[in-house]
Amino acid sequence: ENLNDAFNSRRRLVVFAGLFIAVALALLAILLWNVRNLVKLFRALDLEKRQTSAIVSNLTDGLVEYAEDFRIILINHSAEQIVGVKAEDVVGRKFEPKDSSEEKFSSFARVLFPILVEDARAIRVADERFKIIELKIHHPLERDLQVITVPIVNEIGRIVSYLKVIRDITREKTIARSKSEFISLAAH
């Protein structure tokens, strides 16, 4: 009878060990499947991030994203060219109206704080979430700009940052002035 009990105990041990190995293999398979899906997700997110980055960096309009405290989050190459700053000098930095007194940041500060600009002109739009302002900068070149401010909101509607879209409208303004002068001369 001792031999029978030992044999039954051994059989139970083998069955339990087999069940344990089967469960461990099933859990390992589930874990590997989840890891595979996670890798695919990260690859898709990386591709989407690279595509978005390529679009932002190749836009002809300038883009500046900043937090509520005016800490710069992002600036694209076109904005750097238009306002004469470098991303490494502004990203991560908190700006204040007093920064407009530094020539290096004067145009950038005018774009961020258009209330500082005497000749800034607000353009009325139907959607009050957007603010459109036309203003003139003098550094690095004299330019007429149209600056559109758009709040960036999260899923629950809370503003997380702001985006400034900067369009150089110097050429359009020059053409409009020339056209007006021509019409005025032709009328006399």
Side-chain angles (χ1 to χ4, degrees):
E1 211 173 281
N2 280 343
L3 188 61
N4 227 2
D5 286 342
F7 186 68
N8 283 337
S9 291
R10 187 172 180 200
R11 189 181 313 150
R12 275 184 271 168
L13 185 62
V14 168
V15 168
F16 283 130
L19 284 173
F20 177 77
I21 290 172
V23 168
L25 288 174
L27 288 175
L28 182 63
I30 290 169
L31 180 66
L32 289 175
W33 183 77
N34 283 331
V35 166
R36 184 177 149 262
N37 284 340
L38 198 56
V39 167
K40 284 167 75 176
L41 178 66
F42 278 124
R43 283 185 182 149
L45 285 173
D46 184 54
L47 175 64
E48 186 176 321
K49 182 180 178 184
R50 283 186 282 128
Q51 287 174 333
T52 302
S53 180
I55 290 168
V56 166
S57 61
N58 288 305
L59 282 174
T60 56
D61 289 344
L63 292 180
V64 177
E65 182 183 6
Y66 60 95
E68 286 186 90
D69 66 352
F70 290 93
R71 186 170 314 281
I72 307 305
I73 299 168
L74 171 132
I75 182 171
N76 73 348
H77 182 70
S78 293
E80 289 178 307
Q81 296 295 310
I82 293 169
V83 296
V85 296
K86 298 240 180 263
E88 57 264 16
D89 294 335
V90 296
V91 172
R93 179 178 169 170
K94 183 178 172 182
F95 278 83
E96 297 177 1
K98 69 179 180 175
D99 292 316
S100 66
S101 61
E102 268 186 76
E103 185 183 36
K104 179 180 179 180
F105 298 120
S106 62
S107 293
F108 189 65
R110 288 169 72 97
V111 167
L112 283 179
F113 307 104
I115 196 155
L116 299 173
V117 184
E118 310 88 40
D119 59 348
R121 187 172 69 91
I123 309 293
R124 286 211 174 270
V125 288
D127 193 338
E128 291 185 18
R129 293 175 300 162
F130 309 111
K131 292 185 176 126
I132 302 176
I133 300 206
E134 289 184 357
L135 56 91
K136 189 179 281 287
I137 61 169
H138 305 288
H139 176 78
L141 299 170
E142 190 165 306
R143 297 180 185 188
D144 290 301
L145 302 180
Q146 183 180 70
V147 181
I148 304 167
T149 305
V150 182
I152 307 296
V153 296
N154 63 12
E155 308 82 39
I156 59 172
R158 184 175 169 266
I159 295 174
V160 291
S161 64
Y162 293 90
L163 185 68
K164 296 251 186 206
V165 181
I166 308 163
R167 289 187 56 233
D168 184 347
I169 58 169
T170 307
R171 185 168 182 219
E172 289 92 339
K173 289 277 193 174
T174 304
I175 290 170
R177 275 192 293 271
S178 295
K179 185 177 171 183
S180 178
E181 288 171 5
F182 175 76
I183 291 171
S184 177
L185 285 173
H188 292 310

